[in-house]
Amino acid sequence: MPRALLVEADGGSRGNPGVAGYGALVRDATTGALLAERAAPLGRASNNVAEYSGLIAGLQAVLDLELAGDAEVTVRMDSKLVVEQMAGRWKVKHQDMRRLALQARDLVRQVEWAGGQVDFRWIPRADNAAADALSNDGMDGHTVRRDHGGAPADPDAPAFGEGWAPVAEVVLSTETTPTLEGSCRVVLVRHGVTEFTLARRLDGRGGADPELAELGLEQARAAAGAVRDLLARSEPGPVTVLTSALTRAQQTGAEIAAALGVEPSVDADWDEQSFGDWDGAAMSELAQGHRDELVRLRSDPDYARPGGESHRQLAARVSDAFARAVARGGTVVVASHRKPLMCVLAQVLGIDHERIWSIATAPTSLTALEVWPDGGVQVAFVNDVHHLQGLETA
């Protein structure tokens, strides 16, 4: 028989936003045994951020205790907002909660992958007293982490007292508190195909700079519709479209900007890598006549062709372009090229140069990231090409 578990979670903020903390506990739903308790301060945050943090702590406790397999987990909270958003009935509109909602959903998926299932249920505040008491411990600056042996909980025991795990006093400071407000969503779009793409020829910064092929124009229009639909499902805030200085990226960006009703801007640091004397060369010719140099170009981040630039040089300018894009806030759509998009993903995911070629970025594929002022980054998806269904592939 599946094991039934209860996760009770809560969070609070004294001032909203103000001094905040969360609390969560896990019970055996059949016996009432208390299995885990969690609480921690959050510094300055809103009630909603604190409530989501409690939910995350409770789900993480289920996974930490290795209880997810075949478990029927019922999450009980007195936050109507969190319950309805996690159930998928309400949108997550505020930027400061989007990352936390994505994190909670990822934990739900981990429970499901382990063989369990998760259900969300709203309860009146009076029925959530234990989690509320733990959240107050968090607001008082206490960090609580205790895993129990499964003995029935004493209903008369204080929420915080003798027998608990050691308490860490935390100095609350708005200067050191992670900032969840003011995130920037970045949507990366690779340009459509050109005749060089179709012929598998290198085409970097300083090369022939061809226009999109007819197929590439169709791909760009499809990508523009996909970006428009993506933003229509959320609260995008101010929208900016950036392109590299190369023609194929500007054409792709122009289609996207037209679909969104904005004017595109050019940032040349999003240009493709310069391949120097190899610009325009066919990959098949290079593989036959210059195999060692080709391998070195892919494997040595400091190797550059005469008149070209190394991967490290490319990554440095793309990193600067990415920082400028994020500083704009709202939603920034960037029409760029394969190597620059790979550089961004390698930077935010900590992927070394040897593994960078494992990242797929097909022509007019969509990749989305969310970046917070505290340095947090979440990659929502990579290489989405669903909008290209029905089109000829390159």
Side-chain angles (χ1 to χ4, degrees):
M1 292 289 292
R3 184 174 189 178
L5 299 174
L6 290 178
V7 171
E8 300 171 16
D10 200 7
S13 172
R14 294 166 182 165
N16 196 28
V19 176
Y22 68 80
L25 54 93
V26 182
R27 300 184 191 275
D28 186 304
T30 303
T31 65
L34 187 60
L35 304 175
E37 293 163 295
R38 303 286 189 266
L42 291 170
R44 183 178 177 83
S46 68
N47 276 327
N48 296 145
V49 166
E51 289 162 344
Y52 260 111
S53 299
L55 168 62
I56 289 167
L59 292 172
Q60 187 63 59
V62 171
L63 293 166
D64 290 345
L65 295 174
E66 300 182 353
L67 299 174
D70 295 324
E72 294 180 351
V73 181
T74 299
V75 177
R76 305 198 309 178
M77 300 183 68
D78 60 61
S79 171
K80 187 76 169 177
L81 178 73
V82 173
V83 169
E84 293 296 321
Q85 287 178 344
M86 290 304 299
R89 293 185 288 268
W90 291 2
K91 288 184 178 181
V92 183
K93 295 183 178 181
H94 293 86
Q95 293 179 344
D96 60 349
M97 287 188 288
R98 192 177 298 141
R99 179 172 67 175
L100 296 173
L102 289 171
Q103 186 177 348
R105 286 170 182 156
D106 180 66
L107 292 172
V108 170
R109 283 192 293 269
Q110 291 185 49
V111 172
E112 292 172 344
W113 290 338
Q117 63 183 44
V118 181
D119 182 45
F120 291 89
R121 184 176 305 168
W122 177 84
I123 57 174
R125 184 176 181 181
D127 295 341
N128 204 29
D132 177 70
L134 282 167
S135 71
N136 274 281
D137 293 330
M139 284 183 275
D140 288 338
H142 301 299
T143 298
V144 177
R145 180 186 176 91
R146 181 166 182 170
D147 298 333
H148 299 267
D154 179 359
D156 297 323
F160 186 87
E162 185 178 357
W164 283 69
V167 174
E169 295 293 340
V170 178
V171 177
L172 305 178
S173 169
T174 57
E175 296 181 354
T176 60
T177 301
T179 302
L180 299 179
E181 298 180 353
S183 68
C184 175
R185 176 190 294 177
V186 180
V187 181
L188 304 173
V189 184
R190 186 183 170 189
H191 64 80
V193 298
T194 68
E195 295 301 331
F196 276 55
T197 314
L198 297 171
R200 295 182 57 78
R201 291 183 176 274
L202 289 177
D203 183 24
R205 184 187 222 185
D209 194 19
E211 297 184 351
L212 293 176
E214 186 59 37
L215 172 59
L217 286 169
E218 294 180 16
Q219 292 173 329
R221 296 184 192 110
V227 173
R228 182 192 59 227
D229 294 344
L230 173 67
L231 301 192
R233 296 194 297 268
S234 63
E235 299 290 331
V239 177
T240 304
V241 175
L242 301 176
T243 81
S244 87
L246 302 182
T247 300
R248 56 195 183 273
Q250 290 197 54
Q251 288 179 296
T252 303
E255 293 289 343
I256 296 170
L260 300 177
V262 300
E263 290 294 325
S265 299
V266 173
D267 185 340
D269 278 347
W270 286 105
D271 287 0
E272 180 60 281
Q273 182 177 2
S274 173
F275 300 111
D277 64 344
W278 275 3
D279 266 315
M283 290 296 294
S284 58
E285 297 171 357
L286 295 176
Q288 292 179 2
H290 303 275
R291 181 177 179 82
D292 290 343
E293 297 101 312
L294 184 60
V295 170
R296 187 177 179 190
L297 183 67
R298 291 174 63 101
S299 61
D300 184 350
D302 294 309
Y303 177 71
R305 293 300 303 170
E309 61 185 338
S310 68
H311 173 81
R312 200 178 303 279
Q313 291 170 321
L314 166 70
R317 65 172 167 84
V318 169
S319 179
D320 290 342
F322 181 59
R324 288 193 297 271
V326 170
R328 290 172 175 265
T331 297
V332 181
V333 184
V334 181
S336 187
H337 309 262
R338 185 186 183 195
K339 284 293 296 289
L341 304 191
M342 291 163 62
C343 287
V344 171
L345 289 169
Q347 175 181 325
V348 302
L349 296 175
I351 299 173
D352 59 33
H353 184 262
E354 293 181 358
R355 295 179 178 272
I356 191 173
W357 296 98
S358 302
I359 302 173
T361 52
T364 62
S365 61
L366 272 58
T367 295
L369 309 88
E370 194 138 12
V371 186
W372 279 264
D374 66 356
V377 180
Q378 192 155 44
V379 179
F381 56 84
V382 175
N383 196 40
D384 185 351
V385 293
H386 287 90
H387 52 281
L388 298 181
Q389 292 179 358
L391 291 180
E392 177 187 349
T393 55

